[in-house]
Amino acid sequence: MSKIISVHSFRGGTGKSNSTANLSTILAAEGRRVGVIDTDIQSPGIHVLFGLDEGEMVHSLNDYLWGKCEIKETAHDVSSHLGPGMKGKVFLIPSSIKAGEIARVLREGYDVGLLNDGFQRLVEDLKLDVLMIDTHPGLNEETLLSIAISDALAIIMRPDQQDYQGTGVTVEVARKLDVPSMYIVVNKVPPVFNFDEVKSRVEQTYNCEVAAVLPHSDEMMTLASAGVFALRYPDHQVTGLYKQIAAKLIA
Amino acid sequence: MSKIISIHSFRRGTGKSNIAANLTTLLALEGRRVGVVDTDIQSPSLHLNFGLAEAQVTFTLNDYLWGKCDLRQAAYEVTSNLAVDPDWKITGQAYLVPASIDAKEIAHVLRGGYDPSLPQAGFQKLIQDLALNVLLIDTHAGISEATLAVVALSDVLAIVLRPDLQDYEGTSLTVELARRLEVPRVLLIVNEVSSAFKATQVKSQIEAACGCEVAAMLPHSNEMLALAGTRLFTLNYPTHPLTLALKQLAAQLVA
């Protein structure tokens, strides 16, 4: 049985793309065929983590949404960029990084139903075990759709006042959409915080399980998206926590 | 001469709103009349920095965009919220135009869209009505028509990015668009610079990658992280290196 997992956050800068890249890599390293789709059309970024240059992008998600190609033609096998330890595969479906194309999709919109069809086709065409969706932050139609068709949802938040409000809204919406399993991941927690306290406070606030509380990491900051953290720092505490989250999401 | 300064970023979570809030504060403390508009309708946050409670708010930017009020009616004076000590005498004034945090209203504006020429007329009128020296605009991240409309009417566009490769491509795109829109001054603010980096090296690397001058390199600060967006950093840490760097930046922006 293949699974669709959405990674979402209400606000930006929570580490959503980094988390998606790390979780995907961990699942692929264990031998799975993993698709990663960047639906953050307004400000794509995850391709950088997988080392996919603009020049290597043949078709993007935008092309599919405009009917220029099949969804599988937008999938780029980036497994070789991830080093020799990959037992499985990672296929990335990037969003376009061309200003004109970003502006066009925002101006003209697109048929959200196409996204849904595309997700299902991808799973079949590429024989995926897992499809990870890196969503656009906030609540909009395509995000709601991604959440609605997901088997599991991870909501990433920082322990920040600005995130607390919005995360509540997201959790509520996801409940109404009957997502089978939902977790909160608290990210970039200052080391001076009491982690257990953060966990129980968040769980009480939203009545939702916290899959992990990740500390702010200088190594992550210094890596500056030049690669996937879990591969560079396989024994780091944060990598261990990502593995824990991946196991819960796939369960 | 009053100035419109937009604070933008291509990716989200760069610290754009926190920077906008702190610049507003610093400029008001120096005696200027400053307005700040939260145009980040999808995920507003400035009201938190300035401690503006939901109960105090009658009209928001959303109401203005729906033609329900004047922009002036959606502006709230927050000067007294800047006083750490009640005896503090603040010579300037700070006004905040918040966006609505009601999920239905957010969806309403996003679904219905609005006349992109509205902000232009509204901002000029707000400057007159409140006799502002500076109007700061906290934009929604990314490239959208609404954002471009705001960028186009700015005297200064400050683009915030982190020293993170995911931010470079999009920032250089934004710089290019701003140049085409003939924004008089475009500059970059690099935020959350790790102390492990050589700042001068990172600075020239970013200037080369994005084709634009870097006006400030703001250090990563665990204190900022721990403040958790509830208050204004510059007021809580008046002598912190980050505050000093923000002061220099504020001076450059209004120069």
Side-chain angles (χ1 to χ4, degrees):
Chain A
M1 248 308 272
S2 50
K3 275 204 168 194
I4 297 182
I5 300 174
S6 279
V7 182
H8 184 63
S9 71
F10 182 72
R11 287 188 56 89
T14 55
K16 182 173 60 63
S17 298
N18 254 299
S19 300
T20 308
N22 278 287
L23 295 170
S24 309
T25 303
I26 287 166
L27 292 170
E30 291 169 356
R32 293 183 186 84
R33 295 175 65 85
V34 183
V36 183
I37 183 158
D38 189 357
T39 67
D40 190 358
I41 293 172
Q42 279 187 41
S43 41
I46 199 170
H47 60 282
V48 174
L49 290 158
F50 289 115
L52 185 72
D53 292 337
E54 201 184 331
E56 286 176 76
M57 274 189 210
V58 188
H59 285 296
S60 63
L61 180 64
N62 307 52
D63 294 324
Y64 165 72
L65 294 173
W66 291 322
K68 288 192 196 161
C69 68
E70 294 288 324
I71 188 78
K72 69 172 178 218
E73 293 175 77
T74 65
H76 297 71
D77 185 347
V78 291
S79 317
S80 65
H81 297 189
L82 299 174
M86 283 295 119
K87 281 191 248 159
K89 292 267 182 209
V90 176
F91 298 95
L92 174 66
I93 292 85
S95 271
S96 171
I97 192 70
K98 296 193 178 93
E101 298 193 349
I102 296 173
R104 180 178 160 197
V105 117
L106 292 174
R107 196 173 52 238
E108 297 174 8
Y110 57 87
D111 177 1
V112 173
L114 269 178
L115 258 190
N116 190 14
D117 298 343
F119 294 157
Q120 308 295 351
R121 287 297 291 273
L122 260 184
V123 170
E124 286 167 30
D125 290 349
L126 300 176
K127 300 186 178 56
L128 297 178
D129 298 304
V130 189
L131 178 64
M132 303 280 294
I133 306 174
D134 187 14
T135 64
H136 179 66
L139 285 176
N140 46 50
E141 212 185 337
E142 56 269 44
T143 299
L144 292 183
L145 176 113
S146 311
I147 293 177
I149 59 160
S150 297
D151 300 295
L153 169 68
I155 303 170
I156 318 279
M157 65 177 286
R158 294 160 306 179
D160 186 303
Q161 208 49 44
Q162 299 181 359
D163 287 16
Y164 266 99
Q165 261 178 357
T167 301
V169 178
T170 312
V171 171
E172 210 177 293
V173 167
R175 285 238 164 80
K176 284 196 194 142
L177 293 171
D178 286 327
V179 178
S181 80
M182 169 164 63
Y183 297 96
I184 292 176
V185 174
V186 191
N187 198 14
K188 299 191 186 177
V189 179
V192 295
F193 281 27
N194 178 332
F195 281 43
D196 292 335
E197 212 173 272
V198 169
K199 183 171 190 280
S200 57
R201 187 170 141 210
V202 170
E203 285 183 338
Q204 273 166 23
T205 307
Y206 305 117
N207 189 24
C208 176
E209 187 182 339
V210 168
V213 178
L214 305 178
H216 165 80
S217 144
D218 285 332
E219 291 89 343
M220 178 79 94
M221 194 161 64
T222 324
L223 181 59
S225 299
V228 177
F229 186 87
L231 295 174
R232 290 294 174 91
Y233 297 93
D235 302 319
H236 195 283
Q237 180 200 3
V238 168
T239 303
L241 291 166
Y242 274 135
K243 285 186 181 162
Q244 184 183 315
I245 302 165
K248 281 186 194 264
L249 289 172
I250 203 74
Chain B
M1 250 304 275
S2 51
K3 263 196 177 167
I4 298 184
I5 303 173
S6 285
I7 313 286
H8 183 62
S9 70
F10 179 72
R11 288 190 52 92
R12 295 155 313 271
T14 55
K16 178 173 63 62
S17 300
N18 271 318
I19 290 173
N22 280 289
L23 289 173
T24 303
T25 305
L26 291 169
L27 291 169
L29 291 183
E30 284 174 4
R32 290 189 177 78
R33 296 178 64 86
V34 191
V36 61
V37 186
D38 193 345
T39 69
D40 191 357
I41 292 172
Q42 282 190 38
S43 44
S45 64
L46 280 180
H47 58 285
L48 291 169
N49 293 98
F50 289 103
L52 185 68
E54 220 179 326
Q56 292 172 261
V57 175
T58 321
F59 292 115
T60 62
L61 179 66
N62 307 52
D63 294 307
Y64 166 73
L65 293 172
W66 289 111
K68 288 190 201 160
C69 71
D70 234 28
L71 202 47
R72 167 74 188 89
Q73 292 171 278
Y76 299 85
E77 184 168 359
V78 288
T79 316
S80 63
N81 302 9
L82 304 182
V84 174
D85 172 339
D87 294 335
W88 257 31
K89 181 91 185 75
I90 296 168
T91 49
Q93 257 94 30
Y95 295 91
L96 168 66
V97 178
S100 173
I101 51 161
D102 184 299
K104 273 192 221 116
E105 287 201 33
I106 295 175
H108 190 192
V109 166
L110 293 179
R111 211 174 33 243
Y114 54 86
D115 177 359
S117 65
L118 264 178
Q120 183 150 17
F123 293 161
Q124 292 300 345
K125 182 133 193 309
L126 187 68
I127 289 174
Q128 284 170 14
D129 288 348
L130 299 175
L132 297 178
N133 305 119
V134 186
L135 181 64
L136 281 159
I137 299 169
D138 184 18
T139 65
H140 180 61
I143 296 172
S144 67
E145 211 168 336
T147 297
L148 292 180
V150 170
V151 166
L153 57 86
S154 305
D155 298 297
V156 182
L157 172 68
I159 308 169
V160 183
L161 71 157
R162 294 158 306 174
D164 186 299
L165 292 176
Q166 283 194 81
D167 291 14
Y168 290 10
E169 268 174 342
T171 301
S172 77
L173 271 184
T174 313
V175 169
E176 208 183 295
L177 287 173
R179 295 236 163 92
R180 271 194 241 160
L181 293 169
E182 295 177 5
V183 178
R185 212 168 144 218
V186 184
L187 47 87
L188 303 181
I189 300 170
V190 186
N191 197 20
E192 293 185 35
V193 180
S194 159
S195 54
F197 287 144
K198 277 207 181 80
T200 49
Q201 202 180 323
V202 173
K203 183 171 182 242
S204 49
Q205 191 192 336
I206 289 175
E207 285 182 335
C210 303
C212 183
E213 167 210 359
V214 169
M217 299 283 287
L218 305 177
H220 166 78
S221 145
N222 280 318
E223 291 90 343
M224 176 71 115
L225 212 57
L227 258 192
T230 49
R231 280 165 297 161
L232 290 154
F233 185 86
T234 43
L235 294 175
N236 284 273
Y237 299 94
T239 57
H240 193 283
L242 176 56
T243 302
L244 303 181
L246 281 165
K247 274 189 184 168
Q248 277 182 14
L249 175 63
Q252 278 193 60
L253 287 175
V254 293

